[in-house]
Amino acid sequence: QVQLVDSGGGLVQAGGSLRLSCAASGRTASSVAMGWFRQAPGKEREFVSAITWNSGTTYYADSVKGRFTISRDNAETTILLQMNSLKPEDTAVYYCASTPGPLRAVTIGTTYTSWGQGTQVTVSS
């Protein structure tokens, strides 16, 4: 069991930047990767980004590639999501999540077993 606390959301103008953070605790040894998902009003949850603990391999949705950067801190078991060049379409509740694997399914939400409470990101036009 992994407990996750995500934070860093806020209201920014289009073109601005925001950094999200997710702190993991509990049975973190069971986590092989951490990811970020988002859900906009009236839409289904979608994958945003993920990173593996051991190798630091990163994964990005096409919609955020080149604008978002995910990173990890193994000692602190913390994941960061640096979001640049934000667009109104990025507006959503962002959730961090932990998965015990398999890594081949790291972009699939049902693979994840622990979730943060969510943090609101709002990008104005």
Side-chain angles (χ1 to χ4, degrees):
Q1 299 178 1
V2 178
Q3 291 76 51
L4 304 175
V5 178
D6 41 23
S7 61
L11 194 159
V12 298
Q13 294 184 238
S17 298
L18 206 60
R19 175 175 286 191
L20 305 184
S21 178
C22 178
S25 62
R27 297 182 181 179
T28 56
S30 65
S31 177
V32 300
M34 297 276 285
W36 288 95
F37 292 78
R38 66 187 182 186
Q39 186 168 21
K43 301 183 66 176
E44 295 187 349
R45 180 184 61 194
E46 67 173 343
F47 170 78
V48 177
S49 184
I51 185 169
T52 67
W53 285 111
N54 288 341
S55 67
T57 302
T58 58
Y59 306 81
Y60 297 95
D62 289 341
S63 60
V64 306
K65 197 170 299 181
R67 299 188 298 120
F68 291 9
T69 302
I70 191 169
S71 60
R72 77 198 197 289
D73 185 325
N74 289 298
E76 298 179 1
T77 60
T78 298
I79 298 296
L80 301 175
L81 183 68
Q82 179 66 46
M83 305 184 294
N84 298 324
S85 301
L86 284 164
K87 306 174 180 179
E89 307 93 269
D90 296 318
T91 295
V93 176
Y94 285 68
Y95 299 89
C96 66
S98 174
T99 176
L103 291 177
R104 64 180 180 274
V106 72
T107 64
I108 302 174
T110 53
T111 302
Y112 291 75
T113 56
S114 298
W115 295 82
Q117 79 282 359
T119 184
Q120 176 71 49
V121 171
T122 303
V123 184
S124 62
S125 302

